C-alpha cells in the first residue's frame, strides 16, 4: 500500500489550477495529526496511551505527518510512527519531497533552527510563524514594515503584524511574527505574505477527510504496526485518488468549491454499481465525480463570523466550578482572522 501511495502522491494540480500557486510557487504545508488505533496489548506496548494524574485514558495513537498541497489539499508525501518522536522528527523525512519553486507554510512547532535549515536546504522557500519567546535581531528595516534578520545560518525576513480576530463573541488583537526566506519585499510584499499564511489551515481540511469523512469516525482496525501502516497508506491512497479525480475533472474551477463528501459518495456509488468495470470499456470515474461536484458546487468561501474552540469543550461541571461563561471561553480560542495589518516601521 505504501508503494501504491508513492505512485499517486503529488500536488494533483496543473499550472492553471486555481489557488495552487502563489507568485509562481507551489503552496504546501507540513503538519501532523493523530489517528486512534485499537486498544490492544500489542499497540499499547508499542505506542503507549495518553495519561493524566489519575490514570491512562483513551486509545493508543499513531502520529501521521504529511506534506499537503494547500490549493488542492492533495497529499504529496507522508510518514507515520509513534507519537513519542514528535512532528519535526518525522517532518525532516518529508524534506525528500521538497524542491525549488515551493513555499512551505509552517506553524510555531516547526520553527526550530535545525528544521528551518533542513527545509531551506532543499531549495524550497518557507513561511513559518515564530514563537513569542524568540528574539531575532533587526538587521535592516524594509519599506513594507518587515525587517531582515538571521535565524541560525539562514538570512530571513520577518514580518511583525497585528491580527484582529472578530466573531460574534467580540474582538481581540494579537501579534504574529512570520519569517520567510523570500527576501524581496517588492515582489512579495509583507501584507501578501501574511494573507498567504492563512492557507496553512487547508491541511486541517485534508486531515478531517482522512480521519473523519472516510473512516466514518471509527478507530482503525489493524492491531499490529505493519497492519496499521498498511491501513493508513490505504486511506491516503484512496484519499489521493479522490483529490486527483476532483482536480482533473474541474481544472478551471477552484478546488475549494468541490465538496469532498460529494466526491467520496460518488466514488462509492461507482464501485457499488460496478459502472464501467467490464473489460474493454472506459472507466469514467473522474468525469462522474466532476459532474457530481459541479452539479452541487459549494458557494465561494465566506469569512467565519462565529467563534470556534480549538480545544475540547469543558464539561458543564467545569464551567460551573471555574465560573467561566461559555461564550467568553469560546472567544478565547477563536482563530478566525478577519483583518490583517502589517505594523509600520
Amino acid at each position: 500500500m505504501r508503494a501504491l501511495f508513492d505512485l499517486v502522491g503529488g500536488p494533483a494540480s496543473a499550472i492553471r489550477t486555481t489557488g495552487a500557486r502563489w507568485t509562481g510557487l507551489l503552496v504546501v504545508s507540513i503538519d501532523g495529526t493523530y489517528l486512534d488505533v485499537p486498544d490492544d496489548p500489542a499497540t499499547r506496548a508499542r505506542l503507549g496511551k495518553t495519561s493524566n494524574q489519575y490514570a491512562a485514558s483513551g486509545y493508543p495513537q499513531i502520529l501521521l505527518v504529511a506534506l499537503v498541497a494547500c490549493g488542492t489539499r492533495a497529499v504529496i508525501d507522508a510518514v507515520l510512527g509513534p507519537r513519542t518522536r514528535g512532528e519535526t522528527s518525522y517532518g525532516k523525512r518529508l524534506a525528500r519531497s521538497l524542491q525549488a519553486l515551493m513555499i512551505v507554510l509552517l506553524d510555531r512547532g516547526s520553527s526550530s533552527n535545525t528544521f528551518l535549515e533542513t527545509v531551506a536546504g532543499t531549495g524550497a522557500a518557507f513561511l513559518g510563524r515564530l514563537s513569542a519567546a524568540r528574539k531575532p535581531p533587526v538587521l535592516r528595516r524594509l519599506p513594507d514594515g518587515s525587517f531582515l534578520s538571521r535565524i541560525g545560518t539562514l538570512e530571513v525576513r520577518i514580518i511583525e503584524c497585528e491580527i484582529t480576530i472578530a466573531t460574534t463573541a467580540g474582538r481581540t488583537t494579537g501579534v504574529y511574527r512570520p519569517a520567510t526566506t523570500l527576501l524581496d519585499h517588492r515582489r512579495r510584499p509583507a501584507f501578501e505574505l501574511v494573507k498567504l499564511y492563512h492557507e496553512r489551515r487547508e491541511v486541517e481540511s485534508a486531515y478531517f477527510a482522512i480521519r473523519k469523512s472516510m473512516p466514518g469516525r471509527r478507530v482503525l482496525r489493524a492491531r499490529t504496526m505493519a497492519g496499521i501502516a498498511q491501513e493508513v497508506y490505504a486511506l491516503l491512497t484512496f484519499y489521493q485518488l479522490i483529490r486527483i479525480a476532483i482536480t482533473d475533472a474541474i481544472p478551471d474551477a477552484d478546488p475549494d468549491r468541490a465538496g469532498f463528501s460529494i466526491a467520496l459518495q460518488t466514488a462509492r456509488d461507482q464501485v457499488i454499481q460496478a459502472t464501467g468495470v467490464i473489460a474493454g470499456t472506459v472507466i469514467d470515474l473522474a468525469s462522474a465525480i466532476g459532474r457530481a461536484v459541479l452539479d452541487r458546487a459549494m458557494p465561494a468561501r465566506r469569512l467565519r463570523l462565529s467563534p470556534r474552540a480549538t480545544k475540547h469543550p469543558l464539561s458543564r461541571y467545569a464551567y460551573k466550578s471555574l465560573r467561566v461563561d461559555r461564550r467568553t471561553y469560546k472567544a478565547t480560542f477563536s482563530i478566525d482572522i478577519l483583518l490583517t495589518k502589517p505594523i509600520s516601521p
Side-chain angles (χ1 to χ4, degrees), residues 21 26 54 95 104 128 145 157 163 182 191 194-196 248 251 261 264 267 273 280 289 292 301 321 330 339 342:
R21 286 169 172 79
L26 180 68
Y54 301 109
V104 189
R157 179 167 151 234
I163 306 294
L182 299 174
F191 185 70
V194 173
K195 289 195 298 182
L196 174 67
D248 284 352
S261 296
L264 174 63
Q273 296 169 9
I289 292 176
R301 183 171 296 180
S321 62
K330 282 187 176 181
L339 174 64

Side-chain angles (χ1 to χ4, degrees), residues 186-252:
R186 297 180 181 86
R187 186 179 179 189
R188 283 130 179 169
F191 185 70
E192 298 303 320
L193 282 166
V194 173
K195 289 195 298 182
L196 174 67
Y197 186 71
H198 302 169
E199 291 293 314
R200 192 184 67 80
R201 283 290 170 184
E202 296 296 340
V203 71
E204 301 296 339
S205 297
Y207 283 146
F208 185 88
I210 294 168
R211 295 177 54 197
K212 307 297 183 182
S213 300
M214 293 194 302
R217 300 177 182 270
R218 292 186 294 270
V219 176
L220 298 181
R221 296 174 296 176
R223 297 177 181 273
T224 65
M225 293 302 296
I228 290 169
Q230 182 183 35
E231 189 171 357
V232 172
Y233 280 110
L235 283 172
L236 291 173
T237 300
F238 184 58
Y239 171 82
Q240 184 69 5
L241 291 173
I242 296 295
R243 287 297 180 193
I244 292 173
I246 290 173
T247 53
D248 284 352
I250 52 170
D252 298 322

Side-chain angles (χ1 to χ4, degrees), residues 108 130-136 177:
R108 286 178 295 181
L130 301 180
S131 65
R134 303 197 68 164
K135 306 296 181 183
R177 293 191 304 161

Side-chain angles (χ1 to χ4, degrees), residues 87-88 106-112 115 129-131 197 200:
E87 289 186 18
T88 55
L106 303 168
D107 63 12
R108 286 178 295 181
S110 302
S111 63
S112 66
F115 188 78
R129 183 183 172 191
L130 301 180
S131 65
Y197 186 71
R200 192 184 67 80

Side-chain angles (χ1 to χ4, degrees), residues 3 42 73 87 108 133 135 137 144 149 152 161 183 196 218 238 242 245 251 260 291 304 310 330 333 342:
R73 302 172 191 163
E87 289 186 18
R108 286 178 295 181
K135 306 296 181 183
D144 64 348
S149 184
C161 57
L183 306 181
L196 174 67
R218 292 186 294 270
F238 184 58
I242 296 295
F260 183 83
R291 287 192 297 270
R304 183 185 292 270
T310 60
K330 282 187 176 181
F333 296 101

Side-chain angles (χ1 to χ4, degrees), residues 50-71:
T50 56
S51 60
N52 54 33
Q53 57 181 327
Y54 301 109
S57 62
Y59 288 97
Q61 292 181 321
I62 200 82
L63 174 58
L64 171 66
V65 182
L67 174 65
V68 176
C70 296

